Amino acid sequence: MRLKRNMLFLKKQANTFLLTLLGLIVCTSCVRKKIEIQDKNDSSFPYTITKETKNREMSQAMKRSFENYDGIHPAENELYSQFKYTELKGLDYNGHDGTISRRDPSKIIFENGKYYVWYTYRNTIVPPIGSKRANESTDKIPSTDWDLCEIWYATSADGLTWEEQGVAVNRPPKPEVGWRSVSTTDILKWKGKYYLYYQGFMEASGKSGDYCPVAMSYSDSPDGPWTAVKGAVIENGAEGEWDQYAIHDPYPLVHNGKVYIYYKSAFNRPGNVWVAGGLAIADNPMGPFKKHKLNPVLNSGHEVSLFPFKEGVAALVICDGNEHFTIQYAKDWVNFEIASITELMPIAPGPYVPDAFTNTKDGRGITWGLSHFTNAGNGKGDQHSILGRFDCDLSLDVNDSGMKASRNFNKPEYYFSKGLSKKQLDKIKNQN
Amino acid sequence: MRLKRNMLFLKKQANTFLLTLLGLIVCTSCVRKKIEIQDKNDSSFPYTITKETKNREMSQAMKRSFENYDGIHPAENELYSQFKYTELKGLDYNGHDGTISRRDPSKIIFENGKYYVWYTYRNTIVPPIGSKRANESTDKIPSTDWDLCEIWYATSADGLTWEEQGVAVNRPPKPEVGWRSVSTTDILKWKGKYYLYYQGFMEASGKSGDYCPVAMSYSDSPDGPWTAVKGAVIENGAEGEWDQYAIHDPYPLVHNGKVYIYYKSAFNRPGNVWVAGGLAIADNPMGPFKKHKLNPVLNSGHEVSLFPFKEGVAALVICDGNEHFTIQYAKDWVNFEIASITELMPIAPGPYVPDAFTNTKDGRGITWGLSHFTNAGNGKGDQHSILGRFDCDLSLDVNDSGMKASRNFNKPEYYFSKGLSKKQLDKIKNQN
């Protein structure tokens, strides 16, 4: 055995010598000659990747590396990023007692020399009592964090400090769409006018579900005043269809000279609820909106947040579903593929998307936005949401290596804070 | 506009009535008749998923839901899990001053009525000085956390409290493979004997890289004594091959009556280093090991941790590469596909794999193991690693819904702790 090993070692040494000699002979060679050497080595995958490497016979995993991603390494993948978070300045939360909540920020636009964002604003006499107690909710007592809400807006010079400007869209009088609550808005700019799409609730969320269609208001200025269109602008699906109960998170972009609104709905109850993303298209902001025949177009994600990227559109796919924690890309704006897998993604992000409405065929990507954190407060009945800023590098015009790390490091204490439940621990102890 | 909406509403109401009527007529129907109703609805995706749904024309994302994953929902996917972490009892770290380190646990086996684990153990006069100062390392002063190490082992009755049993494999005398350090071991049981494969260093890690081949020791008992085989048992690749500099993390399983050792190597320097996984196969534990012609077989991951699953093998793919944070599956033990995407995966996990060596064609999966945390200490020169326990549900015999949540919730403070660097923040402030 030992002899055989020594022989092998000598053979390897000889091979190394021959290869080194060959290397010396061709060391002044052009790229072409280097490739020839690698071709002779084709029984094993090479140490150095070249343009030719992708033509080798490869395992399925290695094939995906070359075919499915923008780069062979996360750092070289324009649609890969980590996310960094910053607290905002300028927004008051009444001592974080749960009576004021801000959540579901819209995408951010830049107008009149400043950034604008719209969001769900709740200011109620008490914190939400929870969807399970929805029947105890009143005109003053909210069931969920997004019940009894209005659409407010804020502006900022730098995206870090925000000045709240007050209400944009009030709840309309009963029985109009949204009389109970208007929430989860997003903004469209179209031919010099502004359009806010949002969820319009006709009952306290939780009473019979979390059901609503999409309503809309428009204005000549991002500062309003806003005029509400009567009724729903995107209707729920017909009975038996996946989006029969709700159209949530309407998110407009402009593509092919049309208004593309991505949205989410939840279906397959009872059982494991499936949350997926749909697409509705209209020739103008007033509709009518035609739902895409291949809906749902996103199979995962609890949030709806997209941006034009090259000729296609990219989506942040977060929280729910088999393909949570991914960034996806659809060249045709319909058929999404996984472009990267990442971690600690922003919740309900509203990115700053400079080319959201330019009908671009060369989308440049995003570097920051606002997101929300739904578990602010100390968890003892003061539940509310706060807005925060996220930064990333999903831009073709930026190359921030500080955003391209493969992973976050966490302290042991953080892992241990994600511990077993008492039931799980008892089960382990009882097995032994 | 309003009239049209009202008409639409009436039409929808009428449709609902007709559908309800139709429903009543066929309410005693068999499954076949229910499908006919759904077929009439085929212009939109259905609310309720049935066996026939997968045959619809669908978007690429929805096709993947039905074709690429074990279930349409993470909760229904046997290869999806969250991970929960528990501190171990029974292991001392000298007040966490950095002089004692335990890392890279082996897979866990159950013998003699108790669990066994092997790991890299460092007990040095000072903490590691770092790979950048490797030239200042001595016979007493370690460069990295895995320099000047031995293989130690511990046993446990319940997997929560561990009793350290002392050294299993010492460093051999110079110049034998591993004289500088032996680390990152894993265990094989084969025909009643035990085999530890590990990294054998011949210089302080960091001096010219982190380079080593695989060494091996064997014993008649998990408690030793262990006999070292001379030389390397899996050689590094030839010059120019992807694994020319190192074979790390050897991880043996038994399949098709042979020894399958998965390992990792790093290549493509200079540039973004690519970390990938390879496979070497032998007829018996002594070798010779033949590397698979399709290597690398895993395109991502910094750790090597696998387990038999059904007829194939599953891999925890962690930390590095485009497909980090995934669990992958290879029916043929070579061509891996993404089976799920998850978060907060264990680092360097050594799972308890009851059927690792049974030559099974019906692998049952895993529910727990040990992993390491490399950033214990306060970060001020006392860097060391500790072992911890992880639990999960990647087992065909367990159904723990507490492990199948789509996501972890984190407090806002945790997000804000992953903040921008000063350089990144300054850049933002200067843009405005």
Side-chain angles (χ1 to χ4, degrees), chain B residues 2 24 26-28 34 42-43 51 77 112 152-153 180-181 197 264 285 289 296 309 327 331 338 348 378 428-429:
Chain B
R2 197 171 187 175
L24 283 170
V26 296
C27 70
T28 55
K34 277 190 188 159
D42 73 352
S43 63
K51 281 181 184 172
N77 183 345
N112 310 318
W152 281 43
Y153 78 116
R180 174 71 197 184
S181 191
Y197 297 85
K264 84 158 185 264
F289 281 89
F309 193 80
I327 298 168
K331 196 174 170 180
I338 293 174
N378 64 22
I428 291 164
K429 286 179 177 167

Side-chain angles (χ1 to χ4, degrees), chain A residues 1-303:
Chain A
M1 176 72 95
R2 194 171 187 177
L3 182 66
K4 194 173 166 195
R5 274 186 204 290
N6 285 340
M7 289 286 286
L8 272 172
F9 182 69
L10 284 174
K11 195 175 159 201
K12 196 178 150 195
Q13 288 289 86
N15 280 343
T16 306
F17 174 71
L18 283 174
L19 272 171
T20 310
L21 196 67
L22 192 60
L24 284 171
I25 292 166
V26 296
C27 71
T28 55
S29 68
C30 63
V31 172
R32 183 70 209 128
K33 280 191 181 156
K34 276 187 189 162
I35 292 158
E36 276 167 14
I37 294 172
Q38 286 182 349
D39 284 349
K40 288 185 185 171
N41 261 341
D42 74 351
S43 61
S44 290
F45 196 86
Y47 184 85
T48 302
I49 308 298
T50 66
K51 282 182 182 170
E52 280 66 32
T53 307
K54 67 176 187 294
N55 302 320
R56 292 176 53 90
E57 187 189 4
M58 281 188 281
S59 65
Q60 286 301 319
M62 292 303 280
K63 268 190 215 165
R64 287 196 302 280
S65 288
F66 289 93
E67 293 170 9
N68 290 19
Y69 307 101
D70 184 39
I72 55 171
H73 194 284
E76 296 162 22
N77 183 345
E78 292 283 7
L79 280 177
Y80 174 77
S81 186
Q82 288 280 352
F83 297 87
K84 305 288 177 191
Y85 296 90
T86 311
E87 271 189 277
L88 300 184
K89 289 180 184 162
L91 300 176
D92 176 73
Y93 288 92
N94 213 17
H96 292 283
D97 67 356
T99 58
I100 294 181
S101 197
R102 294 182 185 86
R103 55 182 296 146
D104 288 305
S106 71
K107 74 171 79 66
I108 292 162
I109 64 171
F110 190 78
E111 299 284 322
N112 309 319
K114 55 197 171 182
Y115 298 107
Y116 280 76
V117 69
W118 290 261
Y119 45 88
T120 305
Y121 177 83
R122 178 177 60 74
N123 189 339
T124 49
I125 54 168
V126 290
I129 56 173
S131 57
K132 284 178 187 167
R133 290 174 60 200
N135 284 329
E136 298 168 46
S137 64
T138 69
D139 286 357
K140 302 285 182 191
I141 299 174
S143 60
T144 61
D145 195 30
W146 53 97
D147 188 27
L148 294 175
C149 285
E150 297 158 350
I151 310 295
W152 281 43
Y153 78 114
T155 59
S156 173
D158 60 6
L160 295 163
T161 301
W162 291 82
E163 222 173 302
E164 192 155 72
Q165 302 296 334
V167 71
V169 180
N170 267 306
R171 296 194 292 278
K174 201 171 176 175
E176 287 178 30
V177 172
W179 68 264
R180 175 71 197 184
S181 190
V182 290
S183 81
T184 324
T185 194
D186 207 84
I187 184 78
L188 167 70
K189 185 180 181 183
W190 177 272
K191 295 185 182 170
K193 288 188 195 293
Y194 301 84
Y195 301 83
L196 283 172
Y197 297 85
Y198 46 89
Q199 297 176 202
F201 284 94
M202 264 88 81
E203 65 173 14
S205 171
K207 274 205 170 171
S208 58
D210 188 34
Y211 302 150
C212 60
V214 170
M216 191 262 278
S217 290
Y218 58 89
S219 175
D220 290 331
S221 157
D223 291 299
W226 296 87
T227 305
V229 168
K230 303 285 183 195
V233 68
I234 305 178
E235 298 272 3
N236 294 348
E239 193 174 335
E241 295 181 358
W242 74 288
D243 54 358
Q244 64 180 328
Y245 293 131
I247 309 281
H248 282 177
D249 275 0
Y251 187 95
L253 293 170
V254 174
H255 176 58
N256 270 348
K258 295 175 193 284
V259 181
Y260 273 53
I261 292 191
Y262 293 88
Y263 63 92
K264 85 156 185 265
S265 198
F267 54 104
N268 202 35
R269 289 185 181 89
N272 290 304
V273 179
W274 193 343
V275 179
L279 169 61
I281 302 172
D283 291 335
N284 72 71
M286 295 289 181
F289 280 89
K290 192 171 177 226
K291 292 176 186 172
H292 200 281
K293 66 175 181 163
L294 292 181
N295 275 352
V297 295
L298 285 163
N299 66 21
S300 299
H302 194 85
E303 345 290 323

Side-chain angles (χ1 to χ4, degrees), chain A residues 302-314:
Chain A
H302 194 85
E303 345 290 323
V304 181
S305 184
L306 304 98
F307 52 91
F309 194 80
K310 297 182 180 173
E311 66 266 57
V313 69

Side-chain angles (χ1 to χ4, degrees), chain B residues 75-90:
Chain B
E76 296 163 20
N77 183 345
E78 292 283 6
L79 280 178
Y80 174 78
S81 185
Q82 288 280 352
F83 297 87
K84 307 287 178 191
Y85 295 90
T86 310
E87 270 188 278
L88 300 184
K89 288 178 184 163

Side-chain angles (χ1 to χ4, degrees), chain A residues 69 232 323 409-410 414 418, chain B residues 5 69 323 410 414 418:
Chain A
Y69 307 101
E323 296 183 352
F409 282 88
N410 291 295
Y414 175 71
K418 307 291 183 190
Chain B
R5 275 185 202 289
Y69 306 102
E323 296 183 352
N410 291 296
Y414 175 70
K418 307 291 183 191

Side-chain angles (χ1 to χ4, degrees), chain B residues 231-289:
Chain B
V233 68
I234 305 179
E235 299 272 3
N236 294 347
E239 193 175 334
E241 294 181 0
W242 74 288
D243 55 358
Q244 64 178 325
Y245 292 131
I247 309 282
H248 283 178
D249 275 1
Y251 187 96
L253 293 170
V254 174
H255 175 60
N256 270 347
K258 296 175 193 286
V259 182
Y260 274 53
I261 293 191
Y262 293 89
Y263 64 92
K264 84 158 185 264
S265 198
F267 53 104
N268 202 35
R269 290 185 182 90
N272 290 304
V273 179
W274 193 343
V275 179
L279 168 61
I281 301 172
D283 290 335
N284 73 71
M286 295 290 182
F289 281 89

